[in-house]
């Protein structure tokens, strides 16, 4: 048997570029004469923007620190041991860069076992141990604290989670086993499964305390001092920490069953991580921790060597890295300052845009429209949303007053836009209307002003073609709801110059959006792929496959919603409009469904009614449908849809719509909510052999979103 030190040394050799976390031991005398205490601080020597992680060398350093305090505890030199983090960060878990490099199941097993062997030593010390969650704590950071006897948490913590299932892993250093035995299975399932599968929802300090994960909570300003005073009281017997009894009967089984229901509704069995985590929670019911740890090791190793985790890490890196450094963006030094924004239109989309620009840029924003009533309604919407933020305590009264004063509306574009640096239009999706608007804006806006269009599918170049200065027109396509979806497709027209494009990217960054540069091609990225995807579903329905079969066929992808529910969200009329735009461009691949046209003509908001609370085919829509007699199985439907999507992505890359397949995935994750465990879409198409079948080659090189060869 290898020792923990040997295990970690071997793992560290596989990962030479680890950002190493030190485990500094210092000694102090606890308040009120409670005795000498050893405090371990986890710190990678970098500021809070580079959170502390656990790679193999970092675990080895913690192991060495525990060697020291173990000897001191055995000799009676100390009365307790604490673990805390550097300012603002406790620790955020395993270093995923190291996980990506693993090629062998045995190496993956060593990582799981190494973490357990080190953390377990904290609970085996001869003195009580304390975790002081002083800042952000995730994954292995949360778990190192779970192995301690007691925990305190700072009220100021912005993020605390076990996000592993979100990425395609399980909390494998004690999370699946200790947490349910600490706070009960129901609460543990909520933290490990529900929060992870709800776009990686984070807990705040108060929730960590309420759930019973922490035994005490203190203000951020003097958190460590207060934690040490509390520690002294616990060690002196003045405070007895009481934890509720854990229900190991039916409640435990019901919690696991509920977790399976949540997993089914979110990923439909398409990603294994949630189910593996639930199996471990289920097996931890008898409180046998070591049995649980062994199961965690096995699950971690299996998942590390599986495609979903590699896709999850790939997706995570896209959002965290590529999303912050957009491919093809011009030098940011070319960007011009934006001190005033104009919005043409005052409808719902325009009002959402006005609110976003106002909140993020905090500069004057002026709306215009065709009559005063619409303008007043648009400004009123922005004011009402600011009031909501005030009511929720997100901003104070002073800020609310300031923001409200910055937003105005005028009928006269000359008055509104004479000193605007950036004007965006959000008017009716018709080329002639948009060209007319831009001609009017160009006549009154300053020569340097950017003219941006929020079009979802029309040609930016054509829109700019009649202007004196087409070089300052740029596509700036947001996704609905604007406040929720991070993607911003920035479209370069044929004549758009670098300064205008750089300004657009600069604004996108201030808006905190994930910007992706796209060529001026029909429907750009997301709408083109979704329209091909939805179009193929519509085709099989039109040909004769029942609606329910067509919808169910896509469930294994684990998408956030079914295609026809998505159509309802987008609006059938918009869906039809985009398919007509694409049909004009690529008639051989994009059909215009007569059934969809009939649904739009009948004024229907979608295919479903929700009388029973669940979606059921609207009888009036069913009566409108004209279907052929070709009935496909779910598998045949899925193959057809995936083949169509793979073909379309292949063509888009050939056309240079975006720089690389990675940008397609980034767009689908941030603009359409496609799951991390798919890696967007191209890793999934590669993994399922669809890319090879359709295009004769995979989209991504081996090891990019898969286990390295």
């Amino acid at each position: 048997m290898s020792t923990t030190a040997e295990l970690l040394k071997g793992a560290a050799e596989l990962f030479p570029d680890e950002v190493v976390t030190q485990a500094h031991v210092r000694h102090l005398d606890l308040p009120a004469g409670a005795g000498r205490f050893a405090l371990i601080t986890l710190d990678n020597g970098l500021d809070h923007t580079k959170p502390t992680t656990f790679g193999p060398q970092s675990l080895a350093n913690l192991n060495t620190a525990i060697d020291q305090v173990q000897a001191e505890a055995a000799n009676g030199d100390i009365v307790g041991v604490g673990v805390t983090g550097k300012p603002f960060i406790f620790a955020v878990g395993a270093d995923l860069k190291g996980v990506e490099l693993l090629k062998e199941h045995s190496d993956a097993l060593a990582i799981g076992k190494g973490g357990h062997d080190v953390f377990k030593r904290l609970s085996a010390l001869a003195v009580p141990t304390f975790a002081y969650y002083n800042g952000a704590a995730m994954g292995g950071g949360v778990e190192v604290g779970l192995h301690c006897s007691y925990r305190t948490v700072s009220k100021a913590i912005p993020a605390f989670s076990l996000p592993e299932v979100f990425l395609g892993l399980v909390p494998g250093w004690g999370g699946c086993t200790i947490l349910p035995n600490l706070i009960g299975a129901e609460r543990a399932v909520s933290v490990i499964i529900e929060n992870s599968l709800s776009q990686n929802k984070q807990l705040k300090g108060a929730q960590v305390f309420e759930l019973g994960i922490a035994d005490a909570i203190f203000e951020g300003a003097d958190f460590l001092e207060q934690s040490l005073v509390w520690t002294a009281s616990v060690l002196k017997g003045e405070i007895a920490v009481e934890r509720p009894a854990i229900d190991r009967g039916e409640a435990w089984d019901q919690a696991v069953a509920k977790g399976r229901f949540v997993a089914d509704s979110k990923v439909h069995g398409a990603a294994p991580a949630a189910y593996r985590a639930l199996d471990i929670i289920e097996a931890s019911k008898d409180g046998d921790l070591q049995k649980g740890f062994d199961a965690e090791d096995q699950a971690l190793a299996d998942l590390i060597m599986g495609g979903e985790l590699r896709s999850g890490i790939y997706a995570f890196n896209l959002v965290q890295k590529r999303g912050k450094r957009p491919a093809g963006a011009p030098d940011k030094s070319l960007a011009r300052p934006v001190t005033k924004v104009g919005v043409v239109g005052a409808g719902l989309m325009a009002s959402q845009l006005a609110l976003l620009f106002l909140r993020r840029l905090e500069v004057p924003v002026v709306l215009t429209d065709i009559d005063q009533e619409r303008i007043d309604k648009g400004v009123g919407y922005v004011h009402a949303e600011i009031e909501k933020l005030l009511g929720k305590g997100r901003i104070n009264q002073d800020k609310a007053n300031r923001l409200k004063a910055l937003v105005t509306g005028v009928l006269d574009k000359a008055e509104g836009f004479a000193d605007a640096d950036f004007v965006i239009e959000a008017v009716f999706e018709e080329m002639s209307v948009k060209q007319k608007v831009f001609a009017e804006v160009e006549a009154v806006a300053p020569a340097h002003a950017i003219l941006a269009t929020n079009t979802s599918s029309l040609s930016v170049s054509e829109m700019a073609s009649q202007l004196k200065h087409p070089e300052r027109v740029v596509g700036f396509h947001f996704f609905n709801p604007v406040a929720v979806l991070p993607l911003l497709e920035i479209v370069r027209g044929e004549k758009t110059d670098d300064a205008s494009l750089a300004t657009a990217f600069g604004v996108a960054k201030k808006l905190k959006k994930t910007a992706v540069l796209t060529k001026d091609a029909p429907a750009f990225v997301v709408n083109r792929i979704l329209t091909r995807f939805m179009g193929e579903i519509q085709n099989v329905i039109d040909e004769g496959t029942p609606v329910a079969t067509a919808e169910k066929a896509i469930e294994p992808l684990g998408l956030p919603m079914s295609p026809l529910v998505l159509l309802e969200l987008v609006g059938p009329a918009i869906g039809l409009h985009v398919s007509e735009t694409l049909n004009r461009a690529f008639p051989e691949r994009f059909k215009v469904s007569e059934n969809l046209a009939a649904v739009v003509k009948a004024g229907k908001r979608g295919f479903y009614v929700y009388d029973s609370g669940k979606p059921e085919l609207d009888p009036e829509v069913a009566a409108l449908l004209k279907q052929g007699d070709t009935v496909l199985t779910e598998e045949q439907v899925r193959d057809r849809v995936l083949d169509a999507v793979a073909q379309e992505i292949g063509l888009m890359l050939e056309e240079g719509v975006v720089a690389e397949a990675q940008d397609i995935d980034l767009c689908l994750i941030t603009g359409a909510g496609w799951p991390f465990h798919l890696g967007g879409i191209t890793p999934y198409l590669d993994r399922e052999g669809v890319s090879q079948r359709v295009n004769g080659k995979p989209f991504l090189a081996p090891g990019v979103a898969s286990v390295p060869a």
Side-chain angles (χ1 to χ4, degrees), residues 278-346:
L278 287 162
D279 289 345
I280 300 167
I281 294 170
E282 187 171 35
S284 303
K285 183 177 174 180
D286 60 2
D288 182 342
L289 296 186
Q290 189 52 53
K291 188 175 80 181
F293 296 164
D294 292 342
E296 287 176 352
D297 286 345
Q298 202 55 52
L300 261 189
D302 292 348
L303 291 166
I304 284 172
M305 301 316 290
E308 281 80 9
L309 170 69
R310 304 303 171 130
S311 294
I313 295 175
Y314 163 80
F316 186 76
N317 287 338
L318 286 182
V319 172
Q320 295 299 322
K321 294 175 185 162
R322 195 178 185 95
K324 293 181 170 62
R325 286 188 288 280
D331 192 311
K332 56 176 181 272
S333 66
L334 297 171
R336 294 191 286 261
V338 172
T339 58
K340 183 178 179 181
V341 173
V343 182
V344 186

Side-chain angles (χ1 to χ4, degrees), residues 342-648:
V343 182
V344 186
L348 183 59
M349 189 66 177
S351 305
Q352 287 184 69
L353 295 182
L355 178 69
L356 180 70
F357 278 92
L358 182 68
R359 284 195 65 201
R360 297 284 185 240
L361 270 58
E362 295 190 24
V363 299
V365 174
V366 60
L367 295 126
T368 68
D369 211 317
I370 52 174
D371 60 51
Q372 193 62 45
E373 190 185 337
R374 289 176 203 228
I375 292 169
D376 293 345
K377 195 176 171 192
V379 173
Y381 168 87
V382 176
H383 281 194
E385 290 299 312
I386 292 167
E387 281 295 328
K388 281 187 202 167
L389 292 168
L390 179 64
K392 287 177 185 166
R394 302 268 292 278
I395 54 173
N396 60 25
Q397 188 67 58
D398 180 48
K399 177 115 181 232
N401 294 346
R402 206 166 66 248
L403 289 176
K404 280 187 187 173
L406 284 171
V407 63
T408 53
V410 292
L411 266 171
D412 181 7
K413 290 187 181 68
E415 183 190 335
F417 300 157
D419 54 351
D421 306 302
F422 191 101
V423 180
I424 184 165
E425 69 73 26
V427 299
F428 188 64
E429 192 74 348
E430 175 125 358
M431 184 58 76
S432 58
V433 177
K434 295 197 186 265
Q435 285 179 330
K436 179 170 177 282
V437 161
F438 270 160
E440 290 169 1
V441 174
E442 188 180 45
V444 297
H448 69 270
I450 304 298
L451 308 185
T453 168
N454 182 45
T455 182
S456 58
S457 61
L458 300 176
S459 166
V460 174
S461 305
E462 191 182 335
M463 218 175 284
S465 62
Q466 297 170 13
L467 298 179
K468 293 187 189 74
H469 294 285
E471 69 277 0
R472 56 183 176 150
V473 177
V474 64
F476 216 61
H477 178 219
F478 290 88
F479 289 79
N480 218 346
V482 171
V484 178
L485 291 172
L487 181 64
L488 183 52
E489 290 177 338
I490 296 188
V491 187
R492 181 171 209 153
E494 282 168 24
K495 304 239 170 106
T496 310
D497 64 19
D498 280 356
S500 302
L501 205 57
T503 306
F505 274 101
V507 170
K509 188 165 188 178
K510 286 192 175 141
L511 294 176
K512 298 190 176 167
K513 291 294 179 187
T514 300
V516 174
L517 178 62
T518 103
K519 188 176 156 186
D520 185 18
F524 318 126
V525 180
V526 173
N527 283 341
R528 179 159 163 188
I529 293 169
L530 288 186
T531 304
R532 186 77 200 272
F533 173 77
M534 311 262 284
E536 210 51 54
I537 300 256
Q538 191 70 59
N539 290 345
V540 299
I541 293 170
D542 294 354
E543 289 164 20
T545 299
V547 169
T549 306
E551 286 265 85
K552 206 161 178 338
I554 305 305
E555 278 189 359
L557 292 176
L559 298 179
M561 61 189 75
S562 78
L564 293 182
V565 173
L566 175 62
L567 181 69
E568 209 164 287
L569 183 74
V570 171
I574 292 173
L576 180 66
H577 174 78
V578 177
S579 72
E580 286 169 345
T581 302
L582 283 158
N583 170 259
R584 285 194 292 277
F586 311 114
E588 68 289 354
R589 298 196 310 281
F590 290 87
K591 291 181 187 163
V592 177
S593 165
E594 288 180 15
N595 281 325
L596 180 57
V599 168
V600 173
K601 191 177 175 193
K604 287 288 174 188
R605 291 183 55 188
F607 276 63
Y608 292 131
V609 286
Y610 295 85
D611 301 339
S612 65
K614 289 203 296 267
E616 289 170 14
L617 189 59
D618 183 340
E620 290 178 22
V621 169
L624 291 172
L625 294 182
K626 293 193 171 109
Q627 291 182 283
D629 50 15
T630 306
V631 179
L632 302 182
T633 64
E634 286 175 27
E635 197 177 340
Q636 287 170 322
V637 172
R638 191 160 53 250
D639 283 350
R640 247 185 74 175
V641 171
L642 292 176
D643 284 6
V645 170
Q647 182 195 30
E648 203 58 41

Side-chain angles (χ1 to χ4, degrees), residues 688-699:
E688 297 293 313
V690 182
S691 325
Q692 191 70 40
R693 181 170 76 227
V694 175
N695 301 324
K697 60 181 183 189
F699 287 112

